[in-house]
Amino acid sequence: MSDSGKKKNTVTITDNATGKSYEMPVMEGTIGPRVFDIRKLYGDSGMFTYDPGFMSTASCESRITYIDGDAGILLYRGYPIEQLAEKSDFIEVSYLLMHGELPNAAQRKTFEHNITYHSMVHEQMAWLFRGFRRDAHPMAVMCGVVGAMSAFYHDSTDINDPHQRMVASHRLVAKMPTLAAMAYKYSVGQPFMYPRNDLKYAENFLRMTFGVPAEDYKVNKVLADAMDKIFILHADHEQNASTSTVRLASSSGANPFACIAAGIASLWGPAHGGANQAVLEMLMEIGSVDKVSEFLRQVKDKNSNVRLMGFGHRVYKNFDPRAAVLRKSCQEVLEALGVQNEPLLKLAMELERIAREDDYFVKRKLYPNVDFYSGIILRAMGFPMSMFTVLFALARTVGWVAQWNEMIADPAQKIGRPRQLFTGSKQRDFVPMAKRG
Ligand code: ACO
């Protein structure tokens, strides 16, 4: 796969210090910026490239997800996210991400069966939970229990066996809702709920989270649909920090459960998966619509260090297509719950209206991102803020798994090993204690 990008043209770099030039092939994808292939640069020139944060570096070739940040486009396997959110469901989207095409009826049935019938976790995992403090952050628990899956499912850790890889993938997608619900139940001291095979993926998760053994849980279709949409919108986002972490961890040949645990750890950071919590905290701090102008004055004051959380994105510089879907979904959820007058939603909408008319935000191309509305929906559904990132991890697992499978099957895959620009001490002789200053 690695050399399938057609080589057209070249880029020539000249080292002005030596006058030598180096020619590199240019590769073209199906859409998106061209890249020039620097794999032979070090061998030819003895120089590395320097790119902290990978601002200009493609770390792999991928066929899964495409983002055009300027145009506000997000495609899974070519399909626009808005169409998938409106017309598809998470199971179908998971199949699409993992297999490259939408399933036909028989493929869907088999896939859904495989996911449903892998949703129970080894009974001994319940004891593992009991080792955590009740007040542990659920993401801390998730890092631990997902990593521990490698201690329970030995028969799917051989990454060179395509069948074992598929079983591990099904297990991860299927068991994440069960483990996420268990992390929540453990934190509130309620009994764990077993999955039910007659429920859909999102319905099952809501029941395992909010149901109790003492009574039947009635699925609210609007909430289950909104949950399913949130899962679809967060399912993949090409080579972000957590996905790159999964790829880098797996490049050494580590087992999939350990690698997904590494992805969960990366997602936990506030600059990645934690922003919807920050939006809610910001709205609560602003408090009411009449305080919006004063708050935006602080945001625009460069000395204040205050940011409008849920606005702006490293890649999307026009709009975040996921935000538009969630804005609508947010209203539907609040209506279904009979809380249309939720003050935080009113406040969020007013904040968005004023900010989008304000020169400061317009000039800098700052628009609401996916986190601006998701926190309000999740809170209305009854999730505590500490669970927000867990839900993100649950949804993103299928993206991680799809990217992991793609990487393992890629003959160009090598152990990930970035180089460095060394700026420390040159070689020097050891100084005995008596002679140190
Ligand atoms: N509020 C106020 N000003 C902002 C904001 C914001 N939310 N975002 C960017 N700006 C301003 C910057 O101050 C800068 O202004 P300047 O040119 O006058 O110096 C300009 O816009 C460009 O900002 P950068 O920080 O360079 O943009 P970058 O692409 O590095 O940052 C980021 C993107 C981190 C998401 C930023 O917009 C931000 O902090 N947003 C708020 C946090 C947030 O919502 N994060 C969630 C992202 S979505 C996700 O991870 C799923």
Side-chain angles (χ1 to χ4, degrees):
M1 187 172 100
S2 67
D3 283 311
S4 64
K6 281 182 224 142
K7 285 181 184 165
K8 279 190 193 160
N9 304 323
T10 54
V11 165
T12 304
I13 289 185
T14 303
D15 179 354
N16 291 330
T18 62
K20 284 193 184 157
S21 291
Y22 306 96
E23 199 176 76
M24 280 155 287
V26 170
M27 298 169 76
E28 263 181 44
T30 40
I31 31 174
R34 295 175 304 147
V35 305
F36 57 93
D37 177 355
I38 58 166
R39 276 176 289 183
K40 294 204 173 120
L41 181 66
Y42 178 61
D44 291 350
S45 72
M47 278 190 288
F48 298 138
T49 55
Y50 179 65
D51 188 17
F54 302 105
M55 302 286 285
S56 297
T57 298
S59 61
C60 62
E61 186 179 326
S62 182
R63 296 175 180 180
I64 302 174
T65 294
Y66 175 75
I67 304 171
D68 181 337
D70 290 325
I73 290 172
L74 169 60
L75 310 176
Y76 291 166
R77 302 282 191 182
Y79 295 103
I81 192 69
E82 298 89 338
Q83 289 183 24
L84 292 170
E86 195 193 321
K87 299 178 183 168
S88 190
D89 65 15
F90 184 69
I91 281 291
E92 200 168 69
V93 167
S94 297
Y95 183 96
L96 174 69
L97 287 168
M98 285 172 63
H99 297 282
E101 296 296 336
L102 288 167
N104 61 29
Q107 289 165 333
R108 185 198 159 104
K109 201 170 165 216
T110 308
F111 182 71
E112 191 159 25
H113 181 275
N114 279 335
I115 298 301
T116 305
Y117 282 81
H118 274 111
S119 55
M120 278 195 330
V121 297
H122 193 292
E123 191 60 17
Q124 215 170 318
M125 288 196 93
W127 294 100
L128 192 67
F129 273 87
R130 296 197 165 97
F132 288 101
R133 283 172 57 137
R134 292 267 175 197
D135 62 357
H137 194 288
M139 278 300 272
V141 175
M142 292 304 284
C143 288
V145 294
V146 174
M149 282 175 77
S150 41
F152 284 90
Y153 303 105
H154 304 142
D155 57 346
S156 54
T157 51
D158 178 359
I159 64 158
N160 298 312
D161 175 348
H163 175 71
Q164 291 202 25
R165 290 210 300 271
M166 201 40 70
V167 174
S169 304
H170 290 156
R171 281 180 167 151
L172 279 157
V173 174
K175 294 181 199 309
M176 277 299 278
T178 314
L179 293 172
M182 287 169 88
Y184 172 71
K185 285 300 195 197
Y186 188 72
S187 73
V188 291
Q190 289 184 2
F192 297 140
M193 297 286 285
Y194 290 111
R196 268 206 8 211
N197 291 350
D198 58 331
L199 295 178
K200 301 264 169 220
Y201 192 86
E203 295 174 350
N204 202 14
F205 172 63
L206 288 175
R207 180 185 160 276
M208 286 190 287
T209 305
F210 297 119
V212 288
E215 61 189 28
D216 283 343
Y217 178 78
K218 222 171 158 282
V219 173
N220 179 323
K221 284 279 170 207
V222 177
L223 299 198
D225 280 357
M227 190 80 265
D228 201 69
K229 273 199 179 77
I230 289 177
F231 291 161
I232 293 174
L233 297 177
H234 290 83
D236 198 43
H237 216 224
E238 51 119 311
Q239 308 310 320
N240 54 80
S242 58
T243 303
S244 299
T245 300
V246 171
R247 279 185 179 259
L248 191 58
S250 347
S251 74
S252 69
N255 79 70
F257 306 109
C259 296
I260 299 300
I264 293 174
S266 168
L267 185 76
W268 193 1
H272 191 3
N276 51 11
Q277 172 169 345
V279 171
L280 260 195
E281 284 164 355
M282 172 191 77
L283 291 174
M284 289 191 239
E285 200 182 308
I286 298 173
S288 58
V289 171
D290 56 306
K291 308 255 171 59
V292 167
S293 304
E294 168 53 21
F295 176 73
L296 289 181
R297 195 194 56 71
Q298 287 175 39
V299 169
K300 291 186 281 181
D301 175 359
K302 286 284 165 201
N303 300 318
S304 74
N305 265 335
V306 178
R307 284 212 158 186
L308 178 49
M309 299 311 288
F311 261 63
H313 195 276
R314 170 58 60 80
V315 179
Y316 295 115
K317 298 297 177 197
N318 183 336
F319 68 96
D320 180 341
R322 302 167 300 174
V325 176
L326 274 192
R327 189 179 202 265
K328 188 164 166 267
S329 187
C330 191
Q331 282 159 338
E332 287 166 4
V333 165
L334 296 180
E335 221 167 276
L337 293 170
V339 286
Q340 303 91 302
N341 293 327
E342 159 72 54
L344 285 189
L345 179 67
K346 277 192 166 169
L347 181 52
M349 290 176 84
E350 185 61 2
L351 195 54
E352 180 188 346
R353 189 189 65 77
I354 298 177
R356 290 187 69 166
E357 286 170 1
D358 190 307
D359 237 27
Y360 174 96
F361 299 95
V362 175
K363 258 209 232 133
R364 289 171 178 76
K365 298 186 174 178
L366 300 171
Y367 296 87
N369 59 46
V370 68
D371 294 313
F372 195 70
Y373 286 106
S374 64
I376 300 174
I377 305 186
L378 296 177
R379 188 176 102 121
M381 284 178 165
F383 290 102
M385 284 197 275
S386 59
M387 279 295 287
F388 290 3
T389 323
V390 174
L391 296 169
F392 195 158
L394 189 173
R396 184 56 57 86
T397 296
V398 68
W400 290 330
V401 157
Q403 302 266 353
W404 169 72
N405 275 299
E406 183 180 68
M407 191 194 87
I408 306 271
D410 183 351
Q413 124 48 33
K414 282 179 180 304
I415 186 165
R417 186 18 175 124
R419 307 305 292 252
Q420 63 175 7
L421 171 67
F422 182 71
T423 52
S425 294
K426 291 186 179 164
Q427 183 170 331
R428 49 187 170 163
D429 287 328
F430 180 79
V431 182
M433 179 67 82
K435 290 198 174 163
R436 292 177 210 163

